[in-house]
Amino acid sequence: MSDNHILVERPEAQPGVMVIRFNRPEKKNAFTSAMYNRMTAALEEANGDDAVRAVAFLGTEGCFSAGNDMGDFLTYAMSGSKDAPAAAVFIKALALAEKPLVSGVDGLAIGIGTTLNMHCDLTVASARSLFKTPFVDLALVPEAASSLLAPKIIGHQRAFAMLVAGEGFSAQAALDAGLIWRIVEAQAVEAETLALAASLAAKPPQALRIARDLVRGPRDAVLARMDEELLHFSAQLKSAEARAAFEAFMRR
Ligand code: COA
């Protein structure tokens, strides 16, 4: 990974906030294994540091993330590796994050670019954002416990449309469905996200943590669903139908 594909920042203007910024715009912020590893380390650092009271995810102008790197999918599929993919470790760290998570989406949010937000406590998005999870079209299955969280957050029909049919959701549709908190001007996504994170960071930390845990509920079911999804996801990744889909993307 280029060292700067994930930028971890602690802005002086927002005390208590850690920013995890996706910074690979030339590849639409597609996540590589190295990027997942950096994000996992940042979340663990946030858990262990009392000075961090909220974490904000941000992408680049016009793009949150195009999801998992397709080349990495193909490499993993061909490798025969039995190790858990870096993405699987990252999503567990997301589920186990102890500080509030806020995200700011401007533009494309594909695959994990969408499902990551299901672990966030507040998401703001620009009107031009698009939330889409083409898992089945890639011969894959939902991940990040989205098969559990999406029906809970947006209801069965919309979850099915998103996760199985691969329908894209505009920012307005995502707002109507309860997937995001607020739509803001594209130029305001970063400032609004940081302001939300800063307002959470300014609250009494113990009460904040207890309240967040109560609202989120126990994590066991989320972690168990991640394991269940991973079994299918890993098997599908190595399937001929998935390999054909990745190769078709790489050949475009
Ligand atoms: N993995 C690897 N590279 C990706 C990528 C991904 N998920 N998404 C985009 N890129 C790369 C493209 O290959 C291209 O690289 P190149 O300039 O070296 O050819 C660059 O990012 C720009 O993407 P491009 O497709 O030209 O932009 P676009 O605006 O026409 O389309 C997307 C953007 C996101 C709609 C399209 O790239 C796409 O469908 N990507 C795959 C998304 C996906 O299915 N992710 C996995 C979900 S599980």
Side-chain angles (χ1 to χ4, degrees):
M1 173 180 83
S2 157
D3 279 349
N4 61 2
H5 282 166
I6 294 292
L7 302 175
V8 179
E9 302 156 358
R10 301 212 190 179
E12 267 175 38
Q14 287 87 24
V17 175
M18 172 188 277
V19 178
I20 300 180
R21 193 186 294 271
F22 320 143
N23 184 40
R24 197 188 177 208
E26 70 284 5
K27 295 289 184 188
K28 304 280 179 190
N29 296 331
F31 296 152
T32 60
S33 299
M35 291 165 74
Y36 287 122
N37 289 340
R38 181 70 193 94
M39 292 194 281
T40 300
L43 288 173
E44 284 168 357
E45 183 187 322
N47 286 346
D49 186 344
D50 290 344
V52 177
R53 295 182 172 197
V55 176
F57 289 101
L58 287 168
T60 47
E61 193 187 341
C63 186
F64 188 62
S65 173
N68 204 99
D69 186 279
M70 298 290 242
D72 263 25
F73 267 159
L74 196 55
T75 307
Y76 184 82
M78 312 268 279
S79 72
S81 168
K82 293 203 172 15
D83 295 341
V89 181
F90 168 66
I91 57 176
K92 287 218 164 150
L94 260 186
L96 293 169
E98 292 173 19
K99 312 293 167 75
L101 303 177
V102 174
S103 55
V105 176
D106 176 29
L108 288 170
I110 317 276
I112 195 164
T114 284
T115 58
L116 181 156
N117 299 295
M118 295 174 191
H119 295 270
C120 290
D121 301 296
L122 293 168
T123 297
V124 298
S126 63
R128 64 182 175 183
S129 298
L130 175 70
F131 298 85
K132 188 173 161 74
T133 58
F135 297 124
V136 175
D137 295 320
L138 292 170
L140 298 174
V141 299
E143 37 71 317
S146 56
S147 63
L148 179 75
L149 295 173
K152 199 167 105 179
I153 300 169
I154 65 179
H156 171 79
Q157 296 253 333
R158 285 186 282 214
F160 188 92
M162 173 176 275
L163 296 176
V164 183
E167 294 286 336
F169 280 48
S170 65
Q172 188 61 52
L175 182 69
D176 294 345
L179 191 66
I180 63 173
W181 161 241
R182 195 180 280 165
I183 296 176
V184 301
E185 295 290 325
Q187 316 85 276
V189 166
E190 175 159 339
E192 292 278 344
T193 306
L194 293 178
L196 275 176
S199 74
L200 293 172
K203 295 190 187 296
Q206 196 169 306
L208 176 67
R209 181 174 175 156
I210 296 168
R212 178 175 185 262
D213 284 348
L214 287 168
V215 170
R216 295 193 75 83
R219 296 162 199 215
D220 316 20
V222 170
L223 295 170
R225 182 60 65 97
M226 284 179 174
D227 286 338
E228 190 181 347
E229 289 172 345
L230 182 61
L231 282 177
H232 297 292
F233 198 95
S234 301
Q236 278 302 119
L237 257 183
K238 293 172 185 143
S239 68
E241 56 186 13
R243 193 178 299 184
F246 307 149
E247 283 172 352
F249 178 81
M250 304 305 284
R251 268 198 312 272
R252 291 176 322 154

